[in-house]
Each structure stands twice: as C-alpha cells, then as structure tokens.
Amino acid sequence: MWSSYLSDGFDMSVFNCNESVVILVILCLTPILLSSLNTSVLKRICRPVWLSAIAALVCYASLLINVAYAEYQLDNQLKAFDLNNDGIFSEAEITPEQQKAMQRVVSDTGRNFAPITGAWFSLGYFLMLWPVTLIYSWLERQYVRHVYRS
C-alpha cells in the first residue's frame, strides 16, 4: 500500500518524527504536570475525572496544532513555486516539483479528518487515563493516611 504512494513521488518529509516525539512527550507529561499542579497549587480541588479531561483536551489541541503546522509547511512549500506571487500558477511556474507539492497539499485526507480522528483518539486517551488517575489518587490518599497515622 505505502509503496504505491512512495513510487508516485509522495514525500513525507514534512511529517518527520519530531512532531511525533512532541506529541508523545505531551501525552506523557501532561497528566504528571496536572497532578502536581493540582496537589501543590490547587490544593486537590480537581477530581481525577477533571484532570483526565483536561489532559485529553490538551492532547486534542496539540494534535490539531500539529496538523495545522504541517499544513502551513506544505502551503509554504507550494507557494515557493509561485514566482510572481499572484496565487495562480502560470504555465511557466508548473513544473514536476510544483505538481508534487500541489499533490501533497490537496490529497491528504488525514489532515482533513484530523479533528474527527483526533477527537476519537483523545476520547480513548481520556478513557485510559481516567482509571490511572483514580488509582493514583487512591494510592496517594492511602500514603498520606499511613504517614499521618505513624
């Protein structure tokens, strides 16, 4: 399946692994930062369900920002072929490289469906994170009770 895209000149250079690493760091660090913020600054007023929901919203927002950035990069690559900056490609401006750049801009359904798939991914992230925050909250309460009893 991917070989046909690669043989047709589909270039995935705009989607490097740096964006994936950023999203993974956000996915891992957001619950930890929210939990420590809740403990230290907010004095535990946020329940685990709200911490999980906020983390899922941050995940969703970071996915959409990442997609918007990729689209911005692709648009800039395409605009580089518009030599007279009129927004229309004349015959002199249409080259095989321009056609490849145009194809990358117009034929990516992943970017178009990112709000929908990102919402489902964030919902799954929330449903996985909520039990984890419940267990962490319960363990934290048990530890505090044990420390104050001793």
Side-chain angles (χ1 to χ4, degrees):
M1 177 178 154
W2 290 106
S3 61
S4 65
Y5 289 121
L6 295 175
S7 66
D8 293 339
F10 183 73
D11 183 21
M12 292 189 56
S13 63
V14 72
F15 301 107
N16 57 22
C17 89
N18 290 339
E19 286 105 6
S20 301
V21 170
V22 168
I23 289 177
L24 285 174
V25 167
I26 289 171
L27 288 176
C28 293
L29 289 182
T30 301
I32 296 169
L33 292 174
L34 285 173
S35 178
S36 65
L37 179 72
N38 188 37
T39 302
S40 62
V41 176
L42 299 175
K43 305 299 182 204
R44 293 187 181 87
I45 61 170
C46 287
R47 299 179 56 92
V49 67
W50 289 111
L51 292 175
S52 301
I54 292 169
L57 288 174
V58 168
C59 168
Y60 182 67
S62 67
L63 286 170
L64 293 182
I65 289 169
N66 192 10
V67 168
Y69 178 69
E71 191 167 335
Y72 174 77
Q73 281 185 323
L74 288 173
D75 285 341
N76 280 344
Q77 288 175 3
L78 183 61
K79 286 178 185 176
F81 293 101
D82 190 12
L83 301 176
N84 56 2
N85 293 326
D86 63 350
I88 300 171
F89 294 104
S90 64
E91 287 186 31
E93 295 170 337
I94 296 176
T95 63
E97 292 83 16
Q98 184 271 342
Q99 290 175 343
K100 288 178 185 176
M102 177 69 83
Q103 190 67 27
R104 283 192 302 264
V105 169
V106 300
S107 69
D108 191 6
T109 56
R111 284 193 324 267
N112 294 332
F113 287 113
I116 297 167
T117 57
W120 283 107
F121 179 79
S122 296
L123 178 66
Y125 178 65
F126 167 77
L127 292 174
M128 288 187 317
L129 190 60
W130 187 17
V132 172
T133 56
L134 282 172
I135 292 168
Y136 176 76
S137 176
W138 181 78
L139 288 172
E140 189 178 41
R141 281 193 314 266
Q142 296 302 319
Y143 175 74
V144 168
R145 286 180 188 160
H146 182 271
V147 167
Y148 284 119
R149 285 184 188 167
S150 301

